[in-house]
Amino acid sequence: MGGGGSSTRRVTFEADENENITVVKGVRLSDSVIDRMKEPSSPSGRSQHRSASGAVDDEQLKKRIAEELALERARRDAEAQKRRLFGRLLERERISSNEHLTRAILRERAATEEERQKAQRF
């Protein structure tokens, strides 16, 4: 296969109805490649190695997804805890400001009553 030139080729990949065989259209193979593909592979050959590594990759992927889900869950829990804490702080602040306001109103009422009594005396 000559690789020179800047020709554009269209290559398509399809799977058979059982999805066991990948059909590649638009690719030319040399006779030596075809011969190597026809050679029977040994039971401990590449195909088994690939499926074993595929299983390992799947396990690693599952583990990574589980770790990411756990991290996301922990992040959401931390955010919820922050919101609850912030809500408690706001509630305490509201109670405190209400107490200050109540005291100020009582002081003002006392001062007004005192002024009213002074005005009655005069």
Side-chain angles (χ1 to χ4, degrees):
M1 286 176 66
S6 61
S7 66
T8 303
R9 292 185 185 172
R10 182 178 178 153
V11 177
T12 58
F13 294 88
E14 298 176 359
D16 70 341
E17 53 277 348
N18 297 326
E19 295 189 16
N20 292 332
I21 300 171
T22 301
V23 179
V24 181
K25 294 181 179 179
V27 176
R28 289 187 181 164
L29 302 174
S30 69
D31 290 335
S32 63
V33 171
I34 292 172
D35 290 339
R36 284 192 305 239
M37 292 171 67
K38 287 180 182 178
E39 290 176 10
S41 59
S42 63
S44 62
R46 293 175 113 177
S47 62
Q48 284 187 351
H49 177 68
R50 283 187 182 166
S51 63
S53 72
V56 170
D57 290 342
D58 286 346
E59 289 300 317
Q60 289 174 347
L61 181 61
K62 287 177 185 177
K63 184 179 178 183
R64 202 160 111 215
I65 289 171
E67 288 172 352
E68 288 178 15
L69 286 173
L71 288 172
E72 180 64 23
R73 211 173 293 127
R75 186 190 64 76
R76 275 189 269 136
D77 290 346
E79 287 296 320
Q81 186 177 8
K82 283 180 189 177
R83 284 192 299 272
R84 285 192 301 271
L85 179 61
F86 189 66
R88 286 185 203 136
L89 289 174
L90 286 177
E91 181 65 18
R92 286 181 187 162
E93 184 65 28
R94 184 186 65 77
I95 290 169
S96 177
S97 68
N98 282 345
E99 288 173 357
H100 289 300
L101 183 61
T102 302
R103 286 186 198 133
I105 290 171
L106 289 175
R107 278 193 303 268
E108 190 63 34
R109 283 184 184 165
T112 303
E113 181 63 26
E114 195 175 308
E115 286 180 22
R116 188 183 66 76
Q117 287 177 0
K118 282 183 186 176
Q120 279 183 349
R121 285 186 214 143
F122 293 119

